[in-house]
Amino acid sequence: MKKKVDAVIIGAGPAGMAAAVSLRENGIKNILLVDREPVAGGILQQCIHNGFGVHHFKEELTGPEYAERYIEQINKNKIDLWLDSCVIDIENNSKNSKTVVILSKERGISYITAKVVVLAMGCRERNRGNINIPGRRPAGIMTAGTAQKLVNIYGYLPGREVVILGSGDIGLIMARRMTWEGANVKAVIELQSYPGGLNRNIVQCLNDFNIPLYLSHTISNILGNNRIEAVEVSPLDENFEAIKSESFTLKCDTLLLSVGLIPENELSIKIGVKLDPVTRGACVDKNLMTNIPGIFSCGNVLQVHDLVDFVSEEAKNCGASAAKYINGKLEKSEEIPIRKGNLIRYVLPGKIEKGKPALLSLRPINPAENLYLVITTDTGVELFKRKYKNIFPSVMLRINIDIVPDDAEFIEIKFEK
Amino acid sequence: MKKELICINCPQGCNLEVEFDKEKILSVEGNNCKMGLTYAEEEVFHPVRMVTTTAAVMNGFIKLLPVKTSCPIDKSLTPNIVKEISKIKAEAPIRLGDIIIKNVLNTGADILATRTVKKNV
Amino acid sequence: MTNKYDVIIIGAGVIGAAIARELSRYHLDVAVLEKEIDVSFGVSKANSGIIHGGFHAPPDTLKGKLVVPGNRKFDRLCEELDFPFERNGELMVAFSEDEIHTLQFYYDRGKKNNVPYLEIIGKERLLELEPNLNPDVECALYAPSAGVICPYEYCFALIENAKQNEVNVITGEKVIWLEKNGRKFDVKTEKGNKYSARYIVNAAGLFADEIARMVGITNFKIVPRKGEEYLLDRRVGKLVKRVIFPCPTKKSKGMLIIPTVDGPVMVGPTALDIEDKTDFSTTRDGLKTVFNHAQKLVPSIRATDAITSFVGLRPAATSNFSIITKLFSVIKSFAGIKSEYIDGDFILGRTAVSGFINAAGIQSPGLTASPIIAEYISDALLKDGLKLEKNPAFNPTRKRRVKHLRSILEKKDFFEVEKLVKENKKYSNLICRCENVTEAEIVDAIKMGHTTLDGIKFATRAGTGRCQAGFCTTRILDLIHRETGIPVEQITKKGQGSEIVLTPLRKGVV
């Protein structure tokens, strides 16, 4: 099948759905939203816990509720949604024409020509191979997200005696979830000296059930031939090397990994989208457009967010820019770069426009206390200054700049005392 | 008496310093919004939690129905609530917000569907 | 019940499988007993997949004699059995004067072993052939006849073809007792089943010494030599076109860079003699060693590009005499005792127990030599009195019933995909998104008897990609359940005891 549309959006998770709705609200009629799962909503459907939407909807929702609000808007706006459909190739024909090849369970192969493509594929979890946990290779080792899907969507418990490596939010949520379903969660082990997930999840997912959290520890060996039988836990020295002489063993039949997320950019790489080595997402301009004109990126495929609310907001902006691009109205005033100063791990976007407001997302390199975040221009004008009691790499900061001065050549962002 | 708490009402997770006596909260510090005050009071005198879990679905497009309590309930009752919900078989079609169990275990909270489930045809 | 056979082969790795297929050419009742739940699940599954050129092994060993003839068989085998094979060549690279001398030594050895088109090539040509190599490289020994295959696909193909030709392959059947009674052998398995056969072929890999001991053969021991290997993300691309070897040192044969026939690059293996035949554990040191060595050959290789690692145990044979000599090396009198076997060489052929044939101690280049080993064993059976009468109905060809979507997508041949989907709708349902494996391929693997996650992984590559089955596990569980009726909680990763989930959490929900 061949088809012509204005925009193809790849991924019908929170980012893709918000981008689609935003495109429609900005007057774009012919939109195709594609997802490989049999239902829209992405990973939200398995996140049955509450805690979503406080910023965006001003009320606390569960993952499926948050997803359903967008699904309703997709339906109401009659946006074409293809499920069980995988994008297998993208060709960049010209500035205003991309061919997207889709393999769909229902439709077989389709060739879609679009003016813009929005990348909204989300992210995947890092797994054992990515972090090279030494030891044997038995069954019973999986990512926290896989366990979440097994328990919440498929209705099976992967095991009863559980150890969790990594204190990312999914890991913490699964500690509570598995406990509620009758499992004994023995410990959460965290490489860093601070937890990876939100404070509230430490309280309601670990402390409520007296699950110990071992900071600055790692799993230094995995035991068991068919099924995992135990893990060896070791404290870490300052070089992150395991201190084997102080290690101890925890018996378990399941090891869940919650050790970080990686933007799923394989398609992006295929078409030549330039990636940022730090975020592992696309390098984008202020309009969230990649180095390839007409290809946009938003949500967790661009940068891993802490909160879905911010994904929706980013995707909404992305949809608005993409709509302007389709209408030939995406103006660009002169761009200036942002320089990363003290303690800044990354800041997005990499460039902002003179004479316009800008929204920056950033993360610090280390946790730290009592610092000012300062944004200045090369001409010495202070654009932003705020004191932070605590900063963590696990907490993304979002900063609004009212207007970028016309005479600036670059701006610098840094933390200082 | 003094206690350090982390507010769980929103993702910010404010660190609270709470001073209280036997009957009431005397002061709360560290909260960025009003929710911190309510949380401190509840957490000191009668801690409550939301419960989110799944119930079996019959004849549905999916096998499991995600559900939640209509309001936070007594923290000590959470495991019993999960158990109670696991006994239920909900019949599709179900709409988001449908009450699946009324006044679960006399807590005053209802169990609500958090997803629309079409009938499997 | 007793099952009577002419020949029972113990072990369904590539060696057992190649022998089974070879024997299926004749009018014989042959059974293969495999202790694991699927074939190729022992030593073979962790093989590097290299079809060696043949310059490594000394000419006076079985290894040296069989490697080149084995290599030559692969073009025809690949045609007959329809498994992927690429003659991409191998290079042993030198960085110093000393290493150049080593190359010359292996060049001479290769010539003695009859390695075809062997040559030493200079820096300029080398870097032209392999631009990603470390520019400090001086020259290399080049064997263009070397190649790569996928070891388990080869094993599966051999087994399927043997089955087509009436060989009985029984998995999950661990031999625990073996005795010669008169002219036949009686076999008992862990499950309590009994078999008998006039001939036994011992292709039991790591456990070949234990099988041999059951009939009183105690003159060799299998020492597991552990090798850790790391698989890189497909995204990294084919950093090298040929298999790259360093020059071996006294301490180590060195780490290889292997462009696998399926695409991704593999690095390793380490080599460490161990005791425990179940020690499939990776180590921190192994990781460091592998990547340090690999980076010396190809500097752009990164440990962060690894998506998974695994361990292979090579079944290295040592003569029990030589173990004694090593232990008592100070006692001069022992020095005079010569072992029957050369340490580390294959142990092939007839034994003191007539009818009991060894195919043991088969480590590298065993995969390369496997087609010749199979002929060697059938010849040994003949010499031991087995009548080999050609079966005119023997069908040497086995065809893959399904195409791999991935290889078609790599060619961007979307018309071919359209055609496939028209023939079989299941081709439009992508199950493993990292490796582009469809429902059609997985259902075919299940129908061929691969009903574990690992079995399906080896047969289709589903779950071998960068997410390491994070997204497709539940889908594959569903398909196994749908096709076989096995309850989800009984589906395993690699056999009993490795179940994926417990019983359903909600009653009435399946």
Side-chain angles (χ1 to χ4, degrees):
Chain A
M1 180 167 92
K2 283 189 175 134
K3 192 177 158 89
K4 242 183 158 158
V5 298
D6 291 322
V8 169
I9 299 149
I10 306 172
M17 291 196 292
V21 170
S22 166
L23 272 156
R24 172 59 45 90
E25 283 170 349
N26 284 281
I28 304 302
K29 294 252 154 54
N30 210 345
I31 302 168
L32 176 60
L33 179 58
V34 190
D35 199 278
R36 47 192 161 199
E37 291 297 318
V39 289
I43 225 71
L44 282 171
Q45 297 290 13
Q46 68 184 56
C47 299
I48 62 163
H49 55 282
N50 58 311
F52 304 93
V54 180
H55 295 266
H56 195 73
F57 291 112
K58 307 292 173 220
E59 61 178 299
E60 191 166 55
L61 304 172
T62 65
E65 288 174 311
Y66 193 103
E68 202 152 320
R69 295 216 174 176
Y70 274 99
I71 293 169
E72 274 167 16
Q73 292 185 59
I74 297 289
N75 293 340
K76 201 179 75 196
N77 284 302
K78 298 201 167 57
I79 291 168
D80 205 3
L81 170 65
W82 287 11
L83 296 168
D84 284 316
S85 303
C86 239
V87 172
I88 53 176
D89 199 46
I90 309 178
E91 198 82 52
N92 181 27
N93 312 319
S94 72
K95 207 167 155 272
N96 282 311
S97 165
K98 332 277 167 201
T99 304
V100 181
V101 187
I102 299 172
L103 180 60
S104 156
K105 200 172 165 182
E106 282 303 305
R107 299 171 181 84
I109 289 262
S110 306
Y111 305 87
I112 314 293
T113 314
K115 289 177 188 152
V116 307
V117 172
V118 178
L119 306 171
M121 293 88 77
C123 55
R124 65 168 182 271
E125 295 171 283
R126 293 174 79 196
N127 56 51
R128 179 179 179 184
N130 299 131
I131 56 169
N132 286 307
I133 309 169
R136 303 206 175 195
R137 324 198 59 78
I141 304 168
M142 63 184 80
T143 61
T146 302
Q148 189 176 46
K149 191 170 187 179
L150 281 173
V151 174
N152 292 346
I153 306 286
Y154 279 75
Y156 290 95
L157 203 59
R160 285 201 197 286
E161 302 285 315
V162 186
V163 172
I164 300 174
L165 177 65
S167 58
D169 283 312
I170 318 169
L172 301 176
I173 293 292
M174 281 316 289
R176 175 178 67 181
R177 187 77 193 101
M178 303 249 326
T179 308
W180 271 345
E181 292 294 350
N184 172 18
V185 179
K186 297 199 153 173
V188 175
I189 316 289
E190 170 60 52
L191 202 73
Q192 301 289 346
S193 56
Y194 52 90
L198 297 170
N199 262 341
R200 67 185 314 211
N201 288 334
I202 301 287
V203 174
Q204 59 186 359
C205 299
L206 300 188
N207 299 355
D208 274 4
F209 306 97
N210 299 315
I211 297 168
L213 170 63
Y214 293 93
L215 296 172
S216 300
H217 277 67
T218 193
I219 290 179
S220 48
N221 200 4
I222 290 171
L223 307 164
N225 290 334
N226 290 323
R227 178 107 200 156
I228 184 168
E229 285 160 17
V231 291
E232 181 192 79
V233 181
S234 300
L236 292 166
D237 65 18
E238 57 277 12
N239 301 317
F240 288 92
E241 290 288 337
I243 309 170
K244 287 274 230 176
S245 56
E246 291 172 35
S247 67
F248 56 96
T249 303
L250 289 175
K251 287 197 170 178
C252 62
D253 64 11
T254 305
L255 172 62
L256 300 188
L257 306 176
S258 177
V259 288
L261 301 166
I262 306 173
E264 184 116 295
N265 267 307
E266 276 59 42
L267 261 180
S268 328
I269 295 169
K270 231 186 200 173
I271 34 169
V273 168
K274 226 177 103 192
L275 299 190
D276 179 319
V278 178
T279 59
R280 297 181 75 162
C283 296
V284 290
D285 62 16
K286 178 215 142 195
N287 299 309
L288 304 180
M289 189 162 82
T290 66
N291 59 309
I292 301 177
I295 295 188
F296 293 79
S297 175
C298 61
N300 281 352
V301 79
L302 176 61
Q303 57 172 336
V304 175
H305 291 72
D306 310 329
L307 297 176
V308 67
D309 304 67
F310 298 146
V311 168
S312 300
E313 191 184 324
E314 188 175 272
K316 189 180 172 186
N317 294 339
C318 184
S321 310
K324 280 186 195 156
Y325 184 92
I326 292 166
N327 293 326
K329 286 181 182 157
L330 190 69
E331 293 163 15
K332 262 196 176 180
S333 40
E334 207 188 322
E335 284 180 328
I336 57 165
I338 305 176
R339 292 197 180 168
K340 291 188 287 182
N342 184 38
L343 270 177
I344 305 290
R345 181 159 173 263
Y346 78 82
V347 55
L348 218 91
K351 286 175 180 172
I352 52 177
E353 286 177 85
K354 286 185 178 183
K356 296 267 175 70
L359 171 65
L360 308 181
S361 320
L362 62 107
R363 288 179 195 271
I365 292 173
N366 298 320
E369 284 176 359
N370 296 320
L371 289 176
Y372 288 93
L373 179 67
V374 187
I375 304 175
T376 49
T377 66
D378 57 317
T379 53
V381 181
E382 191 174 277
L383 298 175
F384 179 91
K385 185 173 187 175
R386 186 190 289 166
K387 191 178 177 179
Y388 288 87
K389 223 173 128 188
N390 290 294
I391 53 168
F392 292 101
S394 53
V395 179
M396 184 201 285
L397 301 177
R398 290 156 52 84
I399 310 298
N400 270 303
I401 297 177
D402 296 336
I403 196 139
V404 180
D406 280 322
D407 59 348
E409 288 307 314
F410 65 86
I411 66 165
E412 189 182 15
I413 179 162
K414 63 181 176 218
F415 285 102
E416 60 183 33
K417 293 248 155 136
Chain B
M1 280 170 280
K2 270 192 177 177
K3 207 172 185 178
E4 283 187 10
L5 294 174
I6 293 167
C7 179
I8 63 167
N9 274 336
C10 92
Q12 266 193 12
C14 295
N15 287 298
L16 310 181
E17 268 179 46
V18 190
E19 211 179 337
F20 56 97
D21 62 20
K22 271 186 184 162
E23 281 147 20
K24 60 184 187 298
I25 299 286
L26 301 173
S27 74
V28 180
E29 271 178 48
N31 56 315
N32 280 333
C33 77
K34 285 185 297 188
M35 287 195 292
L37 300 176
T38 342
Y39 176 75
E41 168 136 22
E42 281 174 348
E43 195 66 8
V44 169
F45 296 111
H46 50 97
V48 290
R49 295 288 183 267
M50 287 289 288
V51 174
T52 53
T53 180
T54 59
V57 181
M58 310 317 285
N59 306 316
F61 176 70
I62 50 171
K63 302 192 299 186
L64 296 173
L65 173 72
V67 296
K68 68 175 184 184
T69 48
S70 55
C71 59
I73 51 113
D74 186 339
K75 182 174 140 182
S76 64
L77 285 174
T78 54
N80 309 29
I81 305 270
V82 173
K83 205 171 253 173
E84 197 62 22
I85 296 167
S86 72
K87 294 177 194 161
I88 291 291
K89 282 182 191 176
E91 181 79 27
I94 298 158
R95 291 187 52 164
L96 189 148
D98 282 358
I99 296 174
I100 305 299
I101 306 175
K102 237 188 136 46
N103 188 16
V104 64
L105 296 180
N106 282 320
T107 53
D110 299 332
I111 298 302
L112 307 178
T114 59
R115 183 171 176 180
T116 296
V117 183
K118 284 187 201 149
K119 222 176 153 104
N120 200 10
V121 279
Chain C
M1 186 185 72
T2 302
N3 304 293
K4 289 181 184 165
Y5 293 95
D6 295 316
V7 184
I8 286 178
I9 301 163
I10 301 173
V14 287
I15 298 302
I19 295 168
R21 193 234 179 195
E22 183 61 31
L23 294 183
S24 74
R25 295 175 188 274
Y26 305 102
H27 273 302
L28 291 171
D29 285 330
V30 179
V32 185
L33 305 185
E34 168 56 51
K35 74 172 165 49
E36 299 294 329
I37 194 168
D38 205 340
V39 304
S40 185
F41 265 33
V43 173
S44 299
K45 76 172 174 191
N47 187 289
S48 307
I50 303 167
I51 301 306
H52 290 275
F55 55 73
H56 275 100
D60 54 350
T61 59
L62 281 168
K63 283 178 167 183
K65 284 176 191 137
L66 302 184
V67 60
V68 173
N71 176 306
R72 283 198 196 113
K73 291 263 176 192
F74 270 86
D75 298 292
R76 179 155 174 203
L77 265 176
C78 153
E79 215 167 276
E80 287 178 345
L81 299 177
D82 193 20
F83 58 86
F85 168 51
E86 209 185 318
R87 265 193 206 284
N88 55 336
E90 64 190 4
L91 290 161
M92 183 193 270
V93 297
F95 286 90
S96 65
E97 256 329 288
D98 276 358
E99 291 192 339
I100 294 170
H101 286 298
T102 312
L103 286 194
Q104 190 61 49
F105 172 81
Y106 282 100
Y107 175 83
D108 294 342
R109 182 175 269 189
K111 279 287 167 196
K112 278 182 200 148
N113 287 349
N114 296 320
V115 179
Y117 312 114
L118 193 63
E119 59 176 321
I120 292 180
I121 59 172
K123 181 170 187 153
E124 204 176 320
R125 173 135 173 255
L126 179 54
L127 288 173
E128 214 172 278
L129 291 176
E130 297 292 352
N132 289 325
L133 277 183
N134 185 343
D136 293 339
V137 70
E138 291 293 340
C139 58
L141 178 59
Y142 180 28
S145 62
V148 284
I149 62 167
C150 169
Y152 23 88
E153 269 205 69
Y154 170 54
C155 186
F156 292 159
L158 287 166
I159 286 288
E160 277 178 30
N161 189 231
K163 279 182 174 173
Q164 281 173 302
N165 290 302
E166 311 290 324
V167 170
N168 204 359
V169 179
I170 306 151
T171 53
E173 196 73 312
K174 183 182 177 182
V175 172
I176 52 163
W177 189 81
L178 181 61
E179 191 180 49
K180 188 157 190 196
N181 285 318
R183 289 195 57 197
K184 66 174 176 52
F185 293 87
D186 288 321
V187 180
K188 273 189 212 157
T189 65
E190 199 171 53
K191 283 183 184 159
N193 295 327
K194 290 177 183 171
Y195 300 86
S196 77
R198 292 194 293 130
Y199 294 86
I200 298 286
V201 175
N202 176 17
L206 279 174
F207 303 91
D209 52 349
E210 292 168 38
I211 295 293
R213 208 174 303 139
M214 291 180 192
V215 291
I217 297 171
T218 55
N219 56 355
F220 72 93
K221 187 179 163 168
I222 299 294
V223 178
R225 182 168 298 153
K226 184 166 153 180
E228 295 183 32
E229 299 205 64
Y230 292 80
L231 187 73
L232 306 186
D233 194 317
R234 186 180 285 286
R235 170 175 46 80
V236 177
K238 280 207 172 185
L239 295 168
V240 289
K241 292 189 196 76
R242 296 157 191 83
V243 179
I244 311 292
F245 289 81
C247 275
T249 61
K250 275 189 188 126
K251 269 166 80 183
S252 146
K253 204 174 129 200
M255 311 298 144
L256 283 57
I257 302 183
I258 307 154
T260 64
V261 78
D262 298 302
V265 169
M266 199 158 73
V267 292
T270 54
L272 183 70
D273 286 343
I274 57 170
E275 282 295 315
D276 183 355
K277 289 178 179 176
T278 67
D279 179 9
F280 290 91
S281 62
T282 51
T283 61
R284 198 99 201 129
D285 287 346
L287 170 82
K288 283 184 192 158
T289 315
V290 166
F291 281 93
N292 283 343
H293 279 77
Q295 277 162 354
K296 202 196 156 198
L297 299 177
V298 175
S300 60
I301 284 179
R302 297 270 172 275
T304 45
D305 288 323
I307 57 167
T308 188
S309 55
F310 55 90
V311 165
L313 298 183
R314 311 168 183 93
T318 4
S319 150
N320 266 345
F321 287 115
S322 78
I323 293 171
I324 296 167
T325 17
K326 267 178 210 156
L327 286 174
F328 299 95
S329 58
V330 280
I331 307 172
K332 285 268 159 47
S333 60
F334 273 90
I337 299 174
K338 275 211 171 148
S339 83
E340 243 173 289
Y341 309 115
I342 299 169
D343 266 6
D345 201 6
F346 303 152
I347 298 177
L348 296 181
R350 299 166 71 185
T351 62
V353 180
S354 92
F356 188 87
I357 310 290
N358 269 328
I362 300 182
Q363 47 167 333
S364 176
L367 182 74
T368 314
S370 59
I372 291 291
I373 291 175
E375 289 180 12
Y376 194 106
I377 296 299
S378 99
D379 194 48
L381 285 162
L382 181 75
K383 282 180 186 149
D384 228 2
L386 179 67
K387 236 201 230 161
L388 297 180
E389 193 187 318
K390 288 241 178 209
N391 173 11
F394 172 72
N395 174 10
T397 57
R398 165 267 186 191
K399 282 271 162 247
R400 271 185 279 182
R401 294 154 308 281
V402 288
K403 292 202 166 137
H404 291 315
L405 182 75
R406 180 178 48 82
S407 51
I408 303 165
L409 290 185
E410 270 166 12
K411 286 180 242 148
K412 293 207 174 201
D413 188 355
F414 304 125
F415 292 111
E416 173 74 15
V417 182
E418 269 181 68
K419 223 178 81 196
L420 284 177
V421 172
K422 252 181 218 147
E423 284 165 20
N424 182 354
K425 194 89 199 286
K426 294 189 171 82
Y427 273 110
S428 64
N429 187 15
L430 212 52
I431 302 293
C432 163
R433 61 206 215 189
C434 302
E435 290 290 308
N436 290 323
V437 185
T438 66
E439 184 183 339
E441 293 150 75
I442 290 173
V443 167
D444 176 70
I446 296 170
K447 288 196 171 140
M448 288 317 294
H450 306 297
T451 55
T452 61
L453 289 191
D454 276 2
I456 286 173
K457 181 166 91 177
F458 295 141
T460 68
R461 294 192 64 78
T464 61
R466 54 184 70 88
C467 92
Q468 288 289 299
F471 288 109
C472 64
T473 295
T474 49
R475 290 170 176 231
I476 295 173
L477 290 176
D478 274 350
L479 289 178
I480 297 176
H481 171 69
R482 187 189 79 192
E483 294 296 317
T484 65
I486 302 173
V488 174
E489 64 270 26
Q490 284 173 25
I491 299 172
T492 65
K493 176 173 156 61
K494 52 183 179 184
Q496 210 181 359
S498 66
E499 287 73 16
I500 311 297
V501 295
L502 307 174
T503 47
L505 282 171
R506 303 284 179 266
K507 271 188 195 141
V509 178
V510 175

